[in-house]
Amino acid sequence: MSRRLAKADLPTSLGSFKPVDHVMVAVPDTAQAIAFEKDLLGQGFVPEDVLHFGAEEGHDDMAAMLKGASDFAGFGYEITLMRRYVSLSRQGCRWVLVYAPDDDSAAKVKDAAQRHDAPMAVKYHALAVEDLI
């Protein structure tokens, strides 16, 4: 069963980032991250659905996960995504993780992300990862 996540319990699988039923969105800066979050709240998401990470926080968390990831995780797309997250964090992107367990909520996140110039949005399913942007 899926549930909303807190920063303290970000899930991994074989050491790679795996927040099932969430969409991870990169946004270029703080102002766009705040506007993106307000957009989501205006569409019916609640504050508990949205976690915001700074560029340094995103970089440090993902870099640490990459170092500890299993060799088996390296074959999966999740490791490729984590490397992209680190790269975008180095460029100053902030991160917004949104609880979006169904297709309708994921579509709302995607549309809002595009309105706020997000360079990347990724939906995590139980068995697959889907690039939305």
Side-chain angles (χ1 to χ4, degrees), residues 8-84:
D9 62 1
L10 294 177
T12 61
S13 174
L14 298 174
S16 67
F17 188 57
K18 188 75 171 174
V20 173
D21 289 335
H22 288 72
V23 177
M24 182 69 142
V25 181
V27 287
D29 57 41
T30 302
Q32 286 176 304
I34 292 168
F36 173 61
E37 289 178 41
K38 286 181 181 178
D39 191 344
L40 293 173
L41 296 176
Q43 293 185 61
F45 289 88
V46 297
E48 294 80 19
D49 290 335
V50 182
L51 292 176
H52 184 169
F53 299 86
E56 299 82 18
E57 191 176 13
H59 175 273
D60 294 348
D61 289 348
M62 290 299 158
M65 281 188 206
L66 276 169
K67 286 181 186 175
S70 161
D71 289 340
F72 294 109
F75 294 109
Y77 188 51
E78 289 87 356
I79 292 295
T80 299
L81 286 174
M82 289 169 56
R83 289 182 181 122
R84 286 175 60 197

Side-chain angles (χ1 to χ4, degrees), residues 6-7 47 56-57 85 100 113-114 125:
K7 286 186 179 182
E56 299 82 18
E57 191 176 13
Y85 295 161
Q114 289 175 320
H125 301 277

